[in-house]
Amino acid sequence: MSCSRPISRRLFLGGAAAAISLPFLDAMRIRPAHAGGDDIARMLFYFLPNGIHPPSWTPDAAGAEFDFKPIAAPLEAFREDLLFVSGLSNRNAEDVIAGDHARGTASFLTARSIVKSEGEEISNGVSVDQEAAPLLGEAALFPSLQLGIDGGDAVGACDSGYSCAYIRNISWASETTPLAKVTSPRLLFDRMFAGYDPTLTEADRERRRELRTSVLDHALAGAESLNPKLGSRDRAKLDEYMTGVRELELRIAATDSALACAPPDRPPEDLLYVQHVQAMTDLMVLAFECDLTRTISFMFGNGSSYRAFPFLGVSGAHHELSHHQNDPEKIAAIETIATWEIAQAADLIGKLKDRGLLESSMVYIGSEISDGNGHWHYDLPVAIAGQLGGRIETGRHARYDQERPIADLYLEMLQSVGSDLTEFGGDGADPLGAFQA
Amino acid sequence: MLLGCPSEIIVPDPGEYVMHRLNRAEYNNTVRDLLGTSLTPADDFPTDDHGYGFDNIGAALSMSPLHVELYERAADLLVTEALSDPEPWPLTITQQAEEAGASVGSDWGLGFWNLSEEGEVSAVFDLVGEGTWTVRTRAFGHPAAGESARFSLRVDGNEIGQFDAPDLASEVQVFEVDATLLAGFHIVSVAFLNDFWQPEVGADRNLLIDWIEVEGPIGRQTPPNAIKADLLTCDPELIGRSTCTRAILGSFATRAWRRPLTGVELDSLLALAEAAWNVGESWEYGLGLALKAALVSPHFLFRVELDEYPASTEPHRVNDYELASRLSYFLWSSMPDEDLFALAHDGTLHLPEVLAGQVRRMLADPQSDALIDNFAGQWLFIRAIEDAAPDGATWPDFDDDVRASLQAEMRLFFAGFLDGRDMRQLLTSTSTWLDSRLVGHYELDLPEGIVPADGTFVEVDFPDGPRGGLLGMGGLMTATSYPLRTSPTLRGKWVLGHLLCAEPPAPPPGVEGLSTEDETDAETLRERLEQHREDPVCASCHEVMDEIGFALEPFDPVGVHRTEYSEGVPVDASGTFPDGRSFVGPRELTAVIAADERLGGCIARQLYTYALGRGPVFEDLDPMVDIEAAFMDSGYSFEELAIAIVTSDPFLLRRGQP
């Protein structure tokens, strides 16, 4: 199934045009029938670093009459599309040693206790988005997308002896394989839309696809003949490689049928921070709209982000500010940062709604901790937007006691889309039941 | 080896290697040396995770599906570039006026820019070759007071022609002039010269421009694609398609995989090309497919080392091809060159005197800059300057240019140690490298004759301080500060961890909040840190860390020297260790650290970790003792340290994984 492509090749290949945010062209509004079908469900996991100051976020009132605290204010326009959940905890991230940000970030979607290691002993669990991805749409071009804004510092320790992998990745394919994320809008654009040459005939395209696949088959054959000659650890590395090759082969096979809409202009190479966030927001909307994927994880920053926000009139680095010691100025600063981040999330939610995608989607917003000053792994900030195809009754605030594992929420997410898992993470065994009033 | 070891252990355990994926720097350097490309496709790859302070640690370099996808994309880019034919000269480049820069005027519609008063439309062109270029514009004018619009065509501000524009849009005309130009960037502009405006009589003279264009270089032969010329060493028409392809693939893949191919491997690559030809693709398309296959192969992407018995922990020597890769990725962050391949082919590379000779040769080669980029870049935090974020409101002049100069200062300084110079002078040297930007940033008043010309660095000696030596580097001081203030703790932790390999453990949870962000009052800062130490849990580490940092307080958060804080409080740069050693300021601190017996061992350990690409393990203790001794005996020579490492058992041996 594919739809018409009324956009010229010149535009398709993109030029030097300095598109700051991506315009949504009419052509992209043409949606194939299946993109709006009843069975479609989409999940987007939206991570904010350094916690969200709980007193300025969590609604006081539970139920349908919930209130909006200052940081949540940008979401107020979507009141009827929102489900706040409060009082959940991720005890898996707690320990008696330093490294709360690494543990909180790595277990954000896995709800597992990670192993402290600089590389050799990396161990986490499969993340909820990766459990959900095959249930939501194996047929989509990308089983899932991992996106973010910051790649990570060029040098230096990441968090107290924990590998950088823990603090830079929230999606984990297996206990040992973090899924690296794309941070460049231009690269994401190329991944989403490149590889289709409208000047070729269908027969040409088929032939080229087969040849391209033959190269990957060759790589797989090489890996297979190498495998028995390797020790156990090397084989594990090679397995990661082979998994990637097989996934790419599946994508190539799906390429033509999956291109459901024509792209906008290719984003420029270097974007300022705010435009960078906006470009990623627009591409995420487009990835859903064109049905290129049904599962996305997005990191607004890496765990414990030190980003400065001078354009908000805030001095200092985010992580340092989050250790506010009850200094009102610092609390005001982290509120300003979080409010702006939530406004970007609201922009995303609004665009999904404008394009009729919010009803079929779930946008889950959260952080690796709740209070940055004390590194709390309880009372975690959770907001969900969208109805996930009628599965979520929105317009509510569901409150739990502080001991309820966030893994129970993840279990509910998975079961709602047909998973037969009965346990998730380190402590999820009882689906939360927050989706229905 | 320790006394009393059981005598049957003849060969020491070299530790466990994990198959090493090329990291981003290694990938870019390797394709540069393999193809001669200037593309750097790995810039798009995910940031490499690091461990033990370096991003070349095999166990930490994971391989996700995204990596594989981007490897395929990179292979496609590289092969497409390698086999492409350049666009034939002369080239024509056109810039539409409404999309070009304009000093005045407005978009007139129909693709024209209206210069409504005297001003110009200008466009920047990057010319591929020197020679004669035809410069053109298409324009017409609105006349007034009986006079046509007149304009000047200029290159880099110099007039090359002056014209009167036709008076009607229907007579719009192309004007052109030939100019002799060098390759590179040039600004071509069209300037309106005779504006006239009398609104009361409706008289308004304007110039309307459609586009600006250059064509050239005229009469010069199109240069061939150098990458293609090097790659295609035979003519398939002359010696036959398969024979020629096999020859090209054999030589390419041998270098790409850093070892000779087996016949079966070469056949399988050739088969890919043949399959493409059989369905009607061209010779080059088929060849390109096989080249791509070589570049997405695990043999290219990983540094594969094989054991005869993969599950056995019995140590054995790596073969000379594997050794050549270990050596070249250590010293050059890239593939082996022809000399190393030749020695591997001869089977003599592992001989100690041959290895020593190669280390000397490779360190003298410009490719050893990779050690500055990647080893010193990480060990000495040169790369961290990129991520430092001094508060923009407080230091508005701290821009990317200053950042680049601060990095260059440290790079030039470290480059002086790649031969035999005593590495303790990293600390005790009183000189450094400065350009005019750093002279300004550091607020230095240099004597006449020493001031560097713009764009050049000169070595300047500061016998009496404050600059010179590692602990006088503004970049390091910046990278170890918070956005708004210095952190004696961070600086002390850096010195202990990076120079003495004695980094204190991370604080227990809950106390991280003690660091303050915007506290700039000096007395309060010192007092707060001292108060902090009244807790004995904190004291044991902070009484060393903070004292080191206090001595570096004369450098502010962007590395500028200061004698007092902005509040007028004098800087107290005194520090005292628990054992009674005391010092005042960076120079005295430097003397204490340089005399510390842990310094030599720490430098050796840092380079050893980087060379092996794995974290130190228990089995490394014995070889480390020998390496350290050789390093110190040589007078702390980097070159001798590198030789001691590459001739050590862990570098020469490997074993399987149980």
Side-chain angles (χ1 to χ4, degrees), chain B residues 403-414:
Chain B
R403 246 179 244 276
S405 290
L406 289 169
Q407 287 190 304
E409 177 188 13
M410 293 187 74
R411 293 174 54 89
L412 288 164
F413 180 68
F414 182 79

Side-chain angles (χ1 to χ4, degrees), chain B residues 378-555:
Chain B
Q378 296 180 89
W379 174 41
L380 300 181
F381 257 37
I382 304 174
R383 286 192 197 168
I385 300 169
E386 284 156 32
D387 299 317
D391 184 62
T394 314
W395 291 281
D397 296 334
F398 191 94
D399 56 14
D400 285 348
D401 289 339
V402 172
R403 246 179 244 276
S405 290
L406 289 169
Q407 287 190 304
E409 177 188 13
M410 293 187 74
R411 293 174 54 89
L412 288 164
F413 180 68
F414 182 79
F417 289 89
L418 288 184
D419 52 19
R421 189 170 165 200
D422 187 328
M423 286 194 77
R424 282 170 297 190
Q425 290 178 22
L426 270 176
L427 285 149
T428 57
S429 166
T430 56
S431 70
T432 191
W433 292 80
L434 300 172
D435 66 351
S436 57
R437 203 179 281 129
L438 287 179
V439 171
H441 177 70
Y442 287 154
E443 301 166 7
L444 296 173
D445 194 12
L446 293 185
E448 202 69 31
I450 295 185
V451 181
D454 275 352
T456 63
F457 280 80
V458 293
E459 190 169 13
V460 184
D461 191 30
F462 291 87
D464 306 316
R467 314 231 71 97
L470 186 64
L471 298 182
M473 295 284 158
L476 179 60
M477 294 300 115
T478 307
T480 52
S481 293
Y482 288 127
L484 280 161
R485 66 158 174 88
T486 57
S487 166
T489 308
L490 278 187
R491 287 180 178 172
K493 182 178 152 201
W494 190 92
V495 169
L496 286 174
H498 288 245
L499 301 179
L500 302 180
C501 296
E503 183 172 318
V511 303
E512 289 165 87
L514 279 168
S515 67
T516 62
E517 173 61 26
D518 56 0
E519 194 60 73
T520 51
D521 182 281
E523 284 188 324
T524 313
L525 178 58
R526 187 181 262 264
E527 278 165 16
R528 288 178 67 97
L529 286 167
E530 280 168 359
Q531 266 170 20
H532 184 184
R533 286 195 227 151
E534 283 170 14
D535 182 343
V537 176
C538 305
S540 61
C541 297
H542 281 272
E543 65 192 3
V544 182
M545 273 192 298
D546 297 355
E547 297 295 319
I548 292 173
F550 289 147
L552 296 171
E553 276 295 280
F555 294 113

Side-chain angles (χ1 to χ4, degrees), chain A residues 95-101 103 116 118-120 122 142 146 150-160 163-166 168-169 173 176-182 184 186-187 190-191 204 207-208 211-212 214-216 218-220 222-223 225-226 228-235 237-238 240-245 247-248 251-252 266 269 306 308 310 314-317 319-321 323 325 327 329-330 373-375, chain B residues 16-21 44-53 55 57-73 257 265 268-269 272 275-276 279-281 285 289-290 292-294 296-299 301-302 304-307 310-311 377-379 381-387 389 391-393 482-484 498 503 506-510 512-518 528 614-615 654 656-658:
Chain A
D95 204 334
V96 296
I97 53 170
D100 284 290
H101 287 281
R103 289 192 300 270
K116 182 170 177 174
E118 297 241 13
E120 286 84 352
I122 282 181
F142 298 93
Q146 286 71 44
D150 298 321
D153 281 355
V155 66
C158 276
D159 189 358
S160 315
S163 164
C164 296
Y166 288 133
R168 293 173 178 173
N169 302 290
T176 52
T177 310
L179 292 176
K181 61 190 187 292
V182 170
S184 153
R186 169 170 280 221
L187 178 62
D190 287 352
R191 291 182 71 208
D204 287 340
R207 190 179 69 245
R208 291 278 165 99
L211 292 173
R212 190 176 165 203
S214 73
V215 169
L216 295 174
H218 180 268
L220 273 183
S225 69
L226 189 55
K229 300 178 198 157
L230 298 177
S232 52
R233 272 181 190 279
D234 289 354
R235 271 205 307 276
K237 286 273 170 211
L238 198 64
E240 294 176 357
Y241 167 84
M242 290 165 78
T243 302
V245 175
E247 196 172 290
L248 186 56
R251 178 155 344 132
I252 292 168
R266 191 171 179 229
E269 193 121 32
Y306 279 76
V314 171
S315 290
H319 176 253
E320 298 307 309
L321 291 168
H323 288 283
Q325 299 172 283
D327 174 342
E329 272 184 43
K330 286 179 192 162
N373 196 43
H375 287 162
Chain B
E16 183 175 292
Y17 282 86
V18 177
M19 195 166 65
H20 180 120
R21 162 171 77 68
D44 274 340
F45 298 171
T47 312
D48 294 310
D49 289 331
H50 33 245
Y52 310 100
D55 64 2
I57 304 298
L61 290 167
S62 61
M63 172 75 89
S64 69
L66 177 62
H67 281 100
V68 175
E69 182 185 335
L70 297 180
Y71 289 141
E72 194 221 15
R73 181 173 181 265
W257 297 359
E265 286 170 333
S268 76
L269 285 173
L272 284 171
V279 292
E281 298 285 2
Y285 189 93
L289 217 53
K292 276 182 225 172
V296 297
S297 161
H299 295 287
L301 300 169
F302 290 102
V304 178
E305 294 178 352
L306 295 179
D307 304 294
Q378 296 180 89
W379 174 41
F381 257 37
I382 304 174
R383 286 192 197 168
I385 300 169
E386 284 156 32
D387 299 317
D391 184 62
Y482 288 127
L484 280 161
H498 288 245
E503 183 172 318
E512 289 165 87
L514 279 168
S515 67
T516 62
E517 173 61 26
D518 56 0
R528 288 178 67 97
R614 62 166 171 79
R654 65 169 280 118
Q657 299 154 354

Side-chain angles (χ1 to χ4, degrees), chain A residues 36-345:
Chain A
D38 289 336
D39 56 332
I40 298 274
R42 306 174 168 92
M43 290 185 175
L44 197 161
F45 298 83
Y46 200 93
F47 170 87
L48 305 178
N50 293 324
I52 302 180
H53 190 53
S56 314
W57 164 261
T58 313
D60 286 330
E65 301 304 315
F66 68 99
D67 49 315
F68 284 87
K69 290 296 177 72
I71 295 173
L75 294 170
E76 203 160 352
F78 307 106
R79 179 184 189 93
E80 295 311 314
D81 295 310
L82 285 175
L83 169 64
F84 278 93
V85 185
S86 62
L88 300 180
S89 62
N90 187 6
R91 301 288 178 188
N92 308 290
E94 290 182 352
D95 204 334
V96 296
I97 53 170
D100 284 290
H101 287 281
R103 289 192 300 270
T105 307
S107 67
F108 173 62
L109 297 181
T110 67
R112 286 276 290 264
S113 295
I114 60 171
V115 175
K116 182 170 177 174
S117 168
E118 297 241 13
E120 286 84 352
E121 309 292 339
I122 282 181
S123 179
N124 192 357
V126 179
S127 53
V128 59
D129 61 311
Q130 291 306 300
E131 293 285 7
L135 304 169
L136 297 177
E138 274 188 314
L141 186 61
F142 298 93
S144 63
L145 287 174
Q146 286 71 44
L147 309 175
I149 301 295
D150 298 321
D153 281 355
V155 66
C158 276
D159 189 358
S160 315
Y162 285 90
S163 164
C164 296
Y166 288 133
I167 212 153
R168 293 173 178 173
N169 302 290
I170 53 175
S171 292
W172 288 69
S174 73
E175 289 194 355
T176 52
T177 310
L179 292 176
K181 61 190 187 292
V182 170
T183 57
S184 153
R186 169 170 280 221
L187 178 62
L188 174 59
F189 176 93
D190 287 352
R191 291 182 71 208
M192 285 165 61
F193 298 113
Y196 178 83
D197 183 347
T199 63
L200 297 178
T201 67
E202 184 52 40
D204 287 340
R205 270 200 288 277
E206 181 57 34
R207 190 179 69 245
R208 291 278 165 99
R209 265 202 301 276
E210 276 171 17
L211 292 173
R212 190 176 165 203
T213 305
S214 73
V215 169
L216 295 174
D217 284 342
H218 180 268
L220 273 183
E224 272 156 15
S225 69
L226 189 55
N227 211 20
K229 300 178 198 157
L230 298 177
S232 52
R233 272 181 190 279
D234 289 354
R235 271 205 307 276
K237 286 273 170 211
L238 198 64
D239 279 347
E240 294 176 357
Y241 167 84
M242 290 165 78
T243 302
V245 175
R246 289 193 193 100
E247 196 172 290
L248 186 56
E249 288 195 334
L250 289 175
R251 178 155 344 132
I252 292 168
T255 296
D256 201 48
S257 58
L259 251 182
C261 58
D265 285 342
R266 191 171 179 229
E269 193 121 32
D270 294 306
L271 288 170
L272 297 175
Y273 175 63
V274 174
Q275 296 154 354
H276 185 172
V277 174
Q278 287 168 349
M280 285 311 243
T281 301
D282 289 346
L283 286 169
M284 284 193 277
V285 174
L286 206 53
F288 276 172
E289 183 165 38
C290 301
D291 203 28
L292 296 174
T293 190
R294 308 223 176 123
T295 309
I296 296 176
S297 70
F298 173 72
M299 297 183 81
F300 213 115
N302 293 333
S304 181
S305 166
Y306 279 76
R307 179 174 287 283
F309 292 82
F311 63 96
L312 296 175
V314 171
S315 290
H318 195 182
H319 176 253
E320 298 307 309
L321 291 168
S322 74
H323 288 283
H324 55 70
Q325 299 172 283
N326 296 315
D327 174 342
E329 272 184 43
K330 286 179 192 162
I331 291 175
I334 57 172
E335 276 182 19
T336 302
I337 294 168
T339 308
W340 180 78
E341 289 176 336
I342 290 295
Q344 308 312 303

